[in-house]
């Protein structure tokens, strides 16, 4: 009887614990997602994707979530299967063969992420190249503007291939979107126009204060 009573007592405690946690979930107090441990590799761009209304990161390629701009991917692009850590979306541009597909990563960061020079030099390092001096910046990037955005693009050629990188600073929300791909030279030539068209399709959210003065360059890098 003592053993049976102990089992019943432990069972009753578990029922009470589950009931208490269920009550906390309803009130918003038992949220495991609110406590996270994030491991960040030095030199890699990382930022959690903007949350959806459900509280989970929105990485649905090609769709505009509640915190994303409207965009139109090229018709040939497909959402990449599976999730990629710390990306807002990932696409694949098909090649002549399945193995020739090129992956295009879309990420978003607060502010200007340290400025164009810091970003270019980080990417050059990733491609095995030396950093450039401030006076060389304008010779390696192409600047452009569109409604709600200040943009720049770069083609970085290294031994491992070609990196195509585009940065779009969103004036109304003080954040920068990056579109990047690394491919063989022939594939890079093919998708460069696709990436440019994708960047040009970014439209600001209707609630973005487009008339606001953009903040000064700078910000926190990774």
């Amino acid at each position: 009887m003592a053993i049976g009573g102990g089992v019943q007592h432990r069972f009753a405690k578990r029922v009470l614990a589950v009931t208490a946690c269920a009550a906390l979930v309803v009130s918003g107090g038992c949220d495991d997602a609110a406590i996270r441990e994030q491991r960040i590799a030095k030199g890699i761009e990382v930022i959690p994707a903007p949350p959806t209304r459900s509280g989970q990161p929105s990485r649905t390629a090609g769709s505009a979530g509640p915190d994303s701009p409207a965009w139109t991917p090229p018709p040939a692009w497909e959402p990449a299967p599976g999730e990629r850590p710390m990306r807002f979306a990932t696409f694949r541009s098909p090649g002549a063969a399945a193995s020739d597909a090129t992956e295009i990563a879309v990420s978003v960061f607060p502010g200007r992420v340290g400025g164009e020079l810091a970003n270019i030099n980080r990417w050059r390092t990733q491609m095995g190249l030396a950093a450039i001096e401030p006076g060389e910046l304008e010779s390696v990037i192409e600047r452009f503007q569109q409604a709600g955005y200040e943009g720049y693009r770069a083609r970085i050629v290294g031994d491992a291939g070609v990196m195509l990188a585009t940065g779009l600073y969103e004036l109304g929300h003080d954040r920068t979107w990056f579109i990047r791909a690394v491919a063989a030279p022939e594939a890079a030539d093919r998708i460069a126009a696709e990436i440019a068209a994708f960047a040009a399709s970014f439209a600001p959210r209707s609630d973005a204060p487009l008339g606001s003065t953009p903040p000064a360059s700078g910000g926190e890098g990774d």
Side-chain angles (χ1 to χ4, degrees):
M1 293 295 294
I3 294 175
V7 171
Q8 291 177 355
H9 179 66
R10 287 195 299 271
F11 177 75
K13 288 177 66 179
R14 288 173 183 163
V15 170
L16 288 173
V18 170
T19 303
C21 188
L24 286 172
V25 168
V26 171
S27 64
C30 187
D31 184 7
D32 290 339
I35 303 175
R36 295 184 175 89
E37 178 181 353
Q38 186 177 24
R39 303 180 184 275
I40 301 177
K42 184 178 180 181
I44 303 298
E45 296 174 352
V46 290
I47 189 172
T52 63
R53 299 186 190 280
S54 65
Q56 296 299 318
S58 172
R59 299 191 182 93
T60 304
S63 67
D67 198 36
S68 67
W71 63 41
T72 304
W77 286 14
E78 300 175 351
E83 290 191 354
R84 305 293 192 276
M86 303 306 171
R87 291 187 189 176
F88 192 85
T90 305
F91 299 94
R92 296 185 70 186
S93 176
S99 59
D100 296 334
T102 300
E103 188 170 282
I104 300 98
V106 181
S107 55
V108 62
F109 294 78
R112 293 183 182 263
V113 205
E116 291 93 340
L117 181 63
N119 295 324
I120 291 294
N121 280 336
R122 179 170 57 251
W123 297 331
R124 287 178 63 87
T125 299
Q126 293 172 359
M127 297 300 290
L129 302 176
I132 62 172
E133 297 297 326
E136 302 174 87
L137 176 63
E138 299 304 322
S139 67
V140 300
I141 66 173
E142 178 187 354
R143 295 186 183 275
F144 62 93
Q145 290 188 335
Q146 59 197 53
Y149 296 89
E150 296 175 352
Y152 65 96
R153 60 176 61 94
R155 181 186 178 101
I156 303 173
V157 182
D159 292 339
V162 178
M163 177 187 289
L164 300 173
T166 296
L168 283 167
Y169 176 69
E170 188 176 356
L171 280 70
H173 289 282
D174 186 23
R175 58 185 179 180
T176 301
W177 295 86
F178 290 114
I179 309 165
R180 292 196 300 149
V182 177
E186 58 274 12
D189 292 340
R190 175 177 55 80
I191 67 171
E194 296 177 355
I195 292 178
F198 178 51
S201 77
F202 274 55
R205 290 169 49 190
S206 60
D207 63 343
L210 298 182
S212 60
T213 302
S217 297
E220 183 177 344
D222 52 286

